[in-house]
Amino acid sequence: MRSEKTAIGITASADTPGVTENAIRAVIIDSTRGIRRLDNARSAPASLKAVESSRTVLDWVLHSLSSCGVNHITYVGGYHIQKVIQRYPNLDYRFQGNWQREGELAGLLLALPADQSECLVIRASTICVPEALQRLVGAAQGASAGYYTNGSEQSFAGLVALPAAQVAEALASARNVIERDPGADLEQWLSAMESEGLPLQSVSLDTLAAPLYDPIATARTVFGGKGRTLEQVAPLIQSAVVLKQVRFSVADWSSAPAPIIAKIQQTFGTTHVVVRSSAHAEDGLDESGAGRFKSVLDVPVGHKDRLSAGVNEVVSSYTTNGRAEHGMDEVLVQRHVGNLAASGVLLTRDMETGAPYYVLNIDRSSGRSDAVTSGAEASLDTLYVSRTPDFAQLAPDVQACVTLARELEELTHLDALDIEFGIDRSGLVYLFQVRPIPRRARKFQLADDDLTAELDRVREFLDTHISPHPTLAGETTVLGTMADWNPAEMIGTAPRPLALSLYQRLIGNRAWATARAIIGYQDVRPEPLIISLGGRPYVDVRASLNSFLPGGLDDQTAEVWVNYCLGMLHDDPRLHDKIEFDVAITCLTFDFDHHKQRMHSAGLSD
């Protein structure tokens, strides 16, 4: 784990008001089945859910507790609890042997301390950030329960804070609920405390906590603006460095810039920094402001005027095009990294179609960190990488990018991410930015599994189709959209199913070959001319070339000539729409001497 991190404002520590080291106990309750797989070795408790490799929901919770100075943590579980114990041996454990009949409240009674100290109760399937715990513990007198917005409703986020003075009453209430319903959950407990008149307040934890089964709420928790997002993934990311940062609100800058300048200088010394935008509108799930606001590179920390000007330039960009300032607009400052071996943007899905490919736009020449995002003049490569690539076939920098993308997908529980990165000359990867790719209405949407299955069918078909054919000349074939009965012009490269099926039925299956056989060309029936790969039409060029041979031509001559023509197309794909004139020889013409030279080149005798 490699990270650099400093923040102004919400960074939690042991002396955070209301959060004092060792004064608060935490109880993590995992009283459900969790992840059940046919392979028992892959089954896991809810706290390990959705991240099967390096990072788990429990990592997020433990990081938040540690950031708030909470060190006494009790974990209550039953289903595969041994896997949690193996991974986190330093927690205090309570085994709930009868978890299938008992509910969360029974687990809570196993763990709440007898000394009635202040307590945080956390559902194991809840992901949260430090500010969520600070807000709960810092609430007014009485117990507090965290809620988040679920559509138009408020839903329980899975977190409860109990002051020491209320623990005894809360335990008594829990026992009463269990007597009526042994399998009661935390929601029933909260309802009972309210009905009994115990002090209980609802605290909004929007963007600070969410149940893992709600991917939208989880994403809003993970992506709380550029600066906070980087802070939250920094302690967990292993495949990249998150640079140390100073983060502050626009309001704080407007009211008191001097302390912020001093903090930046204290943090970064005499180096150069990047002043980055972190506007509220940049990282939404519904729309993105990526590239809309300013970032200023290579600002000398020791030059107060230039540093102040850089911040002001970023802040001013927030109100361009009539946009009003937002209370959550921030600015973040990081160390400037120059002379990079590579930098760019990696999308974990195709932006337009949502197709499951890693789309990498990479600059390997300018040395800048913003060549792709700023539109600066640079030599850019665009690569599409399968979700299951052969790593040995990928360049080292591409391998590093895909590794980073996979880890971020696991950490955020999202598979549609926009990632900005840099790679230095030693191969060290820097994570500059991660945001969700905004949802958008797409004309076509295909489930990932359906796409994978269709590609497997296409691959299986091609493995057979490109092999030598029992009745056609040519060792293999070439497919195209511009040859012969040109489907690209006739029905388009992505026709509707009805158009494609009619085109095949009326022309591509038999009629095309029947007409040529009647006038003396080779009869290739019943071979089709137009084939469909995943709904896209292609001309089988081997069949086309065979259909332009004179009827009755001997097999050996046909084989030599068709192989030569296929080689021409392989070497120069521009000939696909010129087959009848520049590749095949369909009739005796006045320029036959020119074609005769090509036939000699192919290996044919006079």
Side-chain angles (χ1 to χ4, degrees):
M1 178 171 65
R2 297 169 296 182
S3 65
E4 305 173 358
K5 185 177 70 169
T6 298
I8 292 178
I10 67 167
T11 301
S13 64
D15 58 358
T16 300
V19 184
T20 306
E21 188 168 2
N22 295 325
I24 303 175
R25 295 172 181 262
V27 177
I28 300 171
I29 301 178
D30 195 351
S31 300
T32 58
R33 183 178 299 279
I35 310 161
R36 187 176 186 182
R37 305 295 296 268
L38 293 176
D39 180 358
N40 194 52
R42 300 182 66 188
S43 297
S47 58
L48 305 183
K49 190 175 181 179
V51 183
E52 296 180 356
S53 57
S54 59
R55 294 300 171 200
T56 68
V57 183
L58 191 52
D59 283 320
W60 282 87
V61 174
L62 295 179
H63 165 62
S64 295
L65 290 170
S66 175
S67 297
C68 295
V70 180
N71 295 322
H72 193 127
I73 303 167
T74 302
Y75 183 97
V76 181
Y79 184 72
H80 284 277
I81 190 175
Q82 76 280 3
K83 294 182 179 179
V84 184
I85 296 172
Q86 291 170 356
R87 189 159 182 166
Y88 308 93
N90 295 325
L91 301 182
D92 184 19
Y93 286 95
R94 300 289 186 274
F95 178 60
Q96 188 176 7
N98 201 15
W99 60 269
Q100 289 176 299
R101 289 189 177 184
E102 298 173 350
E104 292 175 318
L105 283 192
L108 178 65
L109 293 180
L110 289 175
L112 272 182
D115 60 4
Q116 298 182 4
S117 58
E118 191 170 4
C119 184
L120 278 166
V121 180
I122 303 173
R123 182 173 276 160
S125 58
T126 290
I127 190 168
C128 62
V129 299
E131 192 178 348
L133 307 185
Q134 295 173 37
R135 188 173 293 186
L136 272 181
V137 174
Q141 296 298 316
S144 55
Y147 287 81
Y148 75 102
T149 302
N150 181 10
S152 59
E153 300 179 352
Q154 292 292 303
S155 298
F156 179 52
L159 295 111
V160 179
L162 293 174
Q166 198 173 327
V167 170
E169 292 177 303
L171 285 174
S173 178
R175 293 189 184 96
N176 292 335
V177 175
I178 290 173
E179 287 181 4
R180 299 189 298 269
D181 181 0
D185 57 21
L186 296 180
E187 284 88 342
Q188 290 170 271
W189 177 45
L190 296 176
S191 179
M193 283 196 286
E194 284 186 316
S195 64
E196 294 167 9
L198 297 179
L200 179 65
Q201 58 184 322
S202 299
V203 177
S204 174
L205 299 181
D206 271 341
T207 74
L208 303 177
L212 196 64
Y213 59 76
D214 187 333
I216 300 301
T218 298
R220 294 191 189 281
T221 299
V222 173
F223 298 101
K226 183 185 298 182
R228 204 186 81 185
T229 299
L230 291 174
E231 285 178 7
Q232 289 163 190
V233 302
L236 306 173
I237 197 78
Q238 293 185 323
S239 57
V241 169
V242 177
L243 293 168
K244 182 185 296 183
Q245 67 179 24
V246 172
R247 175 167 62 91
F248 49 90
S249 69
V250 172
D252 287 342
W253 172 257
S254 299
S255 62
I260 295 176
I261 292 289
K263 179 69 174 180
I264 295 172
Q265 292 181 326
Q266 178 186 354
T267 302
F268 297 108
T270 59
T271 61
H272 287 218
V273 295
V274 179
V275 184
R276 297 187 185 276
S277 62
S278 185
H280 175 67
E282 277 190 273
D283 303 329
L285 283 166
D286 299 305
E287 61 179 352
S288 172
R292 178 178 175 185
F293 306 114
K294 187 76 174 179
S295 290
V296 182
L297 277 63
D298 205 13
V299 180
V301 177
H303 200 301
K304 288 185 179 181
D305 290 342
R306 290 182 62 182
L307 187 57
S308 180
V311 175
N312 287 330
E313 189 175 347
V314 171
V315 171
S316 295
S317 71
Y318 292 167
T319 55
T320 56
N321 298 321
R323 179 184 182 268
E325 285 189 7
H326 191 283
M328 295 180 68
D329 286 345
E330 294 181 329
V331 177
L332 67 92
V333 178
Q334 297 174 306
R335 175 170 61 86
H336 175 73
V337 181
N339 192 28
L340 292 167
S343 67
V345 173
L346 174 63
L347 305 175
T348 61
R349 283 186 179 273
D350 179 70
M351 184 73 82
E352 296 301 321
T353 66
Y357 296 96
Y358 295 116
V359 184
L360 178 61
N361 293 287
I362 188 168
D363 162 35
R364 296 180 170 118
S365 60
S366 74
R368 295 167 56 100
S369 62
D370 67 338
V372 174
T373 57
S374 68
E377 185 175 350
S379 177
L380 304 180
D381 295 322
T382 299
L383 308 173
Y384 287 80
V385 183
S386 165
R387 287 276 179 162
T388 55
D390 180 357
F391 258 56
Q393 300 299 318
L394 302 179
D397 52 6
V398 179
Q399 291 182 22
C401 291
V402 172
T403 300
L404 173 60
R406 286 176 170 176
E407 186 176 12
L408 286 170
E409 286 175 318
E410 292 174 346
L411 283 172
T412 62
H413 310 290
L414 283 179
D415 61 3
L417 299 174
D418 178 343
I419 301 162
E420 293 178 24
F421 67 90
I423 304 175
D424 70 13
R425 302 294 172 179
S426 69
L428 188 62
V429 181
Y430 294 92
L431 173 63
F432 296 138
Q433 163 75 37
V434 57
R435 60 166 68 91
I437 295 176
R439 295 172 305 213
R440 60 176 66 189
R442 295 188 176 99
K443 186 175 181 180
F444 302 108
Q445 286 188 324
L446 186 66
D448 291 355
D449 289 346
D450 289 341
L451 175 61
T452 302
E454 184 64 23
L455 289 176
D456 287 341
R457 286 191 288 269
V458 169
R459 185 179 296 109
E460 183 179 354
F461 170 80
L462 289 177
D463 285 343
T464 301
H465 197 71
I466 64 176
S467 300
H469 194 281
T471 62
L472 295 179
E475 295 178 354
T476 185
T477 189
V478 172
L479 305 180
T481 60
M482 299 290 288
D484 210 329
W485 277 90
N486 188 328
E489 291 184 357
M490 299 291 285
I491 56 175
T493 57
R496 293 182 180 276
L498 177 60
L500 175 55
S501 61
L502 284 174
Y503 197 60
Q504 290 173 303
R505 178 69 178 269
L506 298 177
I507 298 171
N509 287 349
R510 291 188 64 88
W512 74 282
T514 300
R516 292 174 192 175
I518 290 173
I519 56 177
Y521 289 108
Q522 192 86 282
D523 189 350
V524 298
R525 289 174 293 184
E527 291 303 315
L529 177 68
I530 307 296
I531 63 175
S532 171
L533 299 181
R536 291 185 176 253
Y538 291 90
V539 170
D540 183 345
V541 178
R542 175 169 56 185
S544 175
L545 290 170
N546 274 262
S547 76
F548 287 132
L549 297 173
L553 186 68
D554 67 274
D555 291 346
Q556 183 178 358
T557 302
E559 183 77 10
V560 170
W561 179 242
V562 170
N563 282 335
Y564 176 78
C565 292
L566 290 172
M568 289 180 63
L569 288 168
H570 181 273
D571 294 339
D572 188 358
R574 294 174 299 177
L575 295 173
H576 266 277
D577 63 344
K578 303 174 181 65
I579 284 180
E580 297 91 331
F581 303 99
D582 295 341
V583 180
I585 299 177
T586 59
C587 61
L588 183 62
T589 59
F590 292 108
D591 62 348
F592 183 75
D593 287 343
H594 165 69
H595 295 299
K596 184 177 180 181
Q597 294 176 6
R598 290 199 299 117
M599 297 173 78
H600 281 155
S601 298
L604 297 180
S605 65
D606 284 339

